[in-house]
């Protein structure tokens, strides 16, 4: 464990630790049941190559086919439970150790990493009125939600239920950038700072600026920056209206955030990124896989989880070709890479 | 585009009833199985703390402070998964 990780690590008490572990077990059990249900689909002739094109029709066919399959309904029940409960039990786990944890976290608000918010800032409704991931009350509902979700949920739950190393993926995606240093980097959708840390490690000389709509998440990113002894500049602001000067960044980037945005906002993000980049500056945005790159069963799996798991913009986002979005905003040398994450790269033409 | 995000609301999921009426008995089975497991654990914890107290060892604070080693975590994960499997098997009913 690094010194920075140790500074952010809080020992949970037995009940909180066991509560979160239980949620991990429920999700893993749900995954095993999902495989069992899909095996039934295959025996009944429902496969990727026989599914209809329209996603709503795919849902309807699979729902009809699995209507009498207890493994499917039990899997649904377990997933529904875990989507509702994972944030709640992480909050309970934090509350159990709050007296010791809060002063430690509060101390990490001091340091070179700053957090500002404009007095007249009003969060847009596409964010303020949605309980993403079915988090009761939304991202900023409780005072230490940044730590609860950025650390407890992310490291003790999400990292255990998703395949691969979700932190290494944030570092490997940076290999796709042109081999050059960036003096000033803007991250849109900083959240609790996991990708910010990857950027900071790869470009240690760069000035790093991050924006997000969630003050609670940025408070956690500030703790991460200070635990690392870094001087990130964090702002509560919308990625589509950052307020920064034209041509003031060398790289504009984001990781795993587009699926939380309506299509009109994604379009606005590309336009804002183009405005903010210096001529010759780079764009790198990574997000969830495109449905067009997946077979119909794989796309349905993502869509089913999005439908029931508190991801109201996932489908509309995953059906967008972000390469087209980048080109429409004026970017040149646009390239996309299929996979998880899906990546779009571009360059603002020289003046 | 026809999908569930037409108008933002706090919880976006459509109204839904997951279990079918004929599964309700299975829910009762699951609840009993869970209650049984919880009791076994409570019984074991009470007995354990009494055994240790009889030998002059106070463990309650130590239980909260202990952070599992990788070996203990593996054991806990295995036991927890067995518990969840019993519940999910009960919910699904007989094969």
């Amino acid at each position: 464990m690094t010194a920075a990780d140790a500074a952010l690590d809080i020992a949970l008490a037995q009940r909180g630790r066991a509560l979160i572990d239980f949620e991990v077990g429920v999700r893993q059990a749900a995954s095993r049941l999902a495989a069992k249900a899909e095996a039934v689909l295959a025996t009944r002739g429902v496969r990727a190559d026989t599914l209809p094109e329209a996603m709503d029709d795919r849902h309807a066919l699979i729902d009809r086919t699995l209507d009498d399959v207890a493994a499917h309904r039990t899997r649904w029940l377990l997933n529904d439970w875990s989507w509702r409960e994972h944030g709640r039990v992480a909050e309970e786990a934090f509350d159990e150790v709050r007296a010791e944890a809060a002063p430690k976290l509060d101390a990490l608000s001091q340091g070179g990493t700053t957090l500002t918010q404009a007095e007249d800032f009003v969060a847009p409704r596409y964010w303020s009125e949605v309980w993403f991931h079915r988090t009761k009350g939304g991202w900023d509902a409780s005072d230490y939600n940044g730590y609860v979700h950025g650390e407890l949920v992310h490291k003790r739950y999400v990292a255990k239920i998703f395949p691969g190393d979700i932190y290494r993926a944030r570092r490997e995606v940076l290999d796709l950038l042109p081999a050059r240093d960036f003096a000033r980097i803007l991250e849109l959708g900083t959240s609790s700072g996991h990708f910010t840390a990857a950027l900071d490690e790869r470009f240690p000389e760069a000035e790093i600026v991050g924006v997000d709509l969630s003050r609670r998440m940025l408070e956690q990113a500030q703790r991460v920056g200070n635990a690392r002894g870094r001087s990130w500049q964090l702002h509560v602001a919308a990625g589509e209206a950052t307020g920064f000067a034209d041509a003031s960044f060398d790289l504009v980037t984001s990781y795993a955030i587009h699926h939380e945005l309506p299509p009109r906002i994604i379009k606005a993000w590309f336009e804002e990124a183009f405005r903010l980049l210096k001529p010759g500056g780079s764009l790198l945005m990574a997000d969830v896989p495109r449905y067009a790159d997946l077979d119909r069963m794989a796309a349905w799996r993502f869509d089913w989880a999005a439908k029931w798991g508190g991801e109201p913009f996932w489908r509309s986002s995953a059906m967008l070709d972000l390469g087209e979005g980048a080109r429409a905003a004026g970017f040149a040398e646009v390239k996309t890479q299929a996979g998880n994450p899906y990546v779009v790269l571009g360059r603002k033409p020289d003046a | 585009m026809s999908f569930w995000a037409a108008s933002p609301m706090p919880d976006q999921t459509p109204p839904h009833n997951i279990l079918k009426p004929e599964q309700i008995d299975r829910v009762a089975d699951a609840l009993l199985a869970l209650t049984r497991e919880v009791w076994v654990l409570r019984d074991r914890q009470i007995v354990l703390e009494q055994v240790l107290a009889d030998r002059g060892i106070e463990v309650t604070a130590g239980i909260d402070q202990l952070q599992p080693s990788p070996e203990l975590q593996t054991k806990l994960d295995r036991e927890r998964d067995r518990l969840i499997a019993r519940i999910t098997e009960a919910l699904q009913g007989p094969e």
Side-chain angles (χ1 to χ4, degrees), chain A residues 83 130 152 166 169 193 210 244 258 260 306-307 318 320:
Chain A
W83 283 319
V130 174
L152 298 184
I166 61 174
F244 300 128
H258 284 72
E260 313 288 24
K307 179 177 182 178
L320 286 179

Side-chain angles (χ1 to χ4, degrees), chain A residues 222-238:
Chain A
Q222 184 182 32
R223 295 178 195 118
V224 173
N226 285 331
R228 290 169 166 260
R230 307 301 290 169
S231 297
W232 304 339
Q233 300 158 37
L234 307 174
H235 305 274
V236 181

